Amino acid sequence: MKRPTVLIAIVLLAIAGSATASEWLRWTTAALPEMPGFCCATRQAGEMQSSTCKLEGGNEIYGTVDGAPHSDTVQVYARYDAGVLAAVRVYDGACAVQATSPVRELGALEAQASLSRLLGPISDSRRAMQDRLVAVAQHPGEPALDWLKQRSREGARDERRDAWFWLGQRLGTGVAPLVREALPKADSDLREHLVFVLSQMPAPAAVDALIALVEDRRLDRDLRGRALFWLAQSEDARAFAYLDRRLDPAGS
């Protein structure tokens, strides 16, 4: 499946802890080797160019951008309000970051220590919860993965959707059996999103999974139609061949 140049992460990370509400805590931790780095970019003359990230906002584009600096670490910025995680941002270790508020350095932390600073009490802000999912998803190891799986089952509606997206990014083709297990119990909105998660798997697994959904007559038509939609968005030759056969079974 074609993956976008910019992975849109509507994420501005804010956290709480031992910092005052007006300062950021900053630390680094090991990056996932297979995950692209998060940074900021601007669009100039129709092309993306990496740029300095601004903690207090004003970033034109934030996410994974082709050509952005990349390293083997991530840098996490967290802001807390009375012990509650209020905001958090995660950037590649090589990404330039600018702040107008004070930043307190905590240095390099092991993945588990980094996670422990993110998984405590959190603001009920939709953005804070979304940003924390992005930050956790960048952490290597089973604890981060287990937490994403838990949020995909037990989180609020939007949090479940976001957790499934990041599970797909983390697991690649390994997310398929989890999606098939979740589909029968999911509501209609989440089921459509789960089909999208399958569509984001690497080829040829994504095409195989979508075709399997289309061919499964135990599923309702809306779900099978959604699988057809994502097949049509694919640039995989096998997807087009399948659609040709479905549209013109006689081969005329």
Side-chain angles (χ1 to χ4, degrees):
M1 307 299 291
K2 183 179 180 181
R3 290 174 180 269
T5 298
V6 179
L7 176 61
I8 299 174
I10 309 170
V11 191
L12 296 172
L13 311 160
I15 307 182
S18 55
T20 67
S22 62
E23 76 174 355
W24 294 92
L25 295 180
R26 178 192 181 273
W27 66 88
T28 61
T29 194
L32 275 168
E34 67 273 18
M35 291 289 275
F38 270 60
C39 201
C40 300
T42 57
R43 193 185 300 274
Q44 297 183 14
E47 295 185 357
M48 299 288 190
Q49 295 187 5
S50 60
S51 62
T52 298
C53 289
K54 300 175 182 178
L55 282 178
E56 281 75 26
N59 299 312
E60 182 178 335
I61 298 167
Y62 168 46
T64 61
V65 183
D66 288 349
H70 193 46
S71 71
D72 59 0
T73 63
V74 293
Q75 47 185 328
V76 182
Y77 289 83
R79 202 175 219 169
Y80 301 88
D81 186 4
V84 175
L85 179 60
V88 58
R89 291 171 175 74
V90 61
Y91 302 113
D92 186 90
C95 186
V97 181
Q98 183 181 84
T100 57
S101 303
V103 176
R104 180 140 56 94
E105 294 285 346
L106 298 184
L109 300 182
E110 296 292 334
Q112 189 58 52
S114 178
L115 280 175
S116 71
R117 289 189 168 274
L118 300 177
L119 301 186
I122 186 171
S123 159
D124 59 5
S125 158
R126 159 86 171 108
R127 183 148 219 172
M129 289 186 285
Q130 186 179 45
D131 294 347
R132 180 170 70 170
L133 278 164
V134 178
V136 171
Q138 309 309 305
H139 284 67
E142 289 300 314
L145 197 54
D146 289 343
W147 184 83
L148 289 173
K149 290 177 182 178
Q150 185 232 3
R151 299 324 297 160
S152 76
R153 298 187 302 268
E154 302 174 14
R157 173 181 170 274
D158 289 337
E159 190 179 19
R160 292 198 309 273
R161 287 171 57 93
D162 290 345
W164 273 111
F165 173 81
W166 289 109
L167 277 173
Q169 296 297 305
R170 282 289 299 265
L171 294 173
T173 58
V175 79
L178 298 179
V179 169
R180 289 306 299 252
E181 181 183 357
L183 274 172
K185 297 171 278 189
D187 60 35
S188 59
D189 180 64
L190 182 57
R191 292 172 82 198
E192 288 195 5
H193 183 68
L194 291 174
V195 177
F196 166 73
V197 170
L198 290 178
S199 78
Q200 297 301 291
M201 292 191 305
V207 172
D208 292 339
L210 293 173
I211 289 175
L213 289 183
V214 174
E215 297 290 337
D216 190 346
R217 296 184 179 275
R218 296 170 298 178
L219 301 175
D220 62 62
R221 286 188 175 185
D222 287 344
L223 190 63
R224 295 166 67 202
R226 181 57 53 177
L228 272 174
F229 170 82
W230 286 113
L231 273 175
Q233 304 305 305
S234 171
E235 294 185 352
D236 190 290
R238 292 169 55 250
F240 283 107
Y242 175 79
L243 291 171
D244 282 343
R245 291 195 300 273
R246 296 285 298 187
L247 293 171
D248 187 9
S252 58

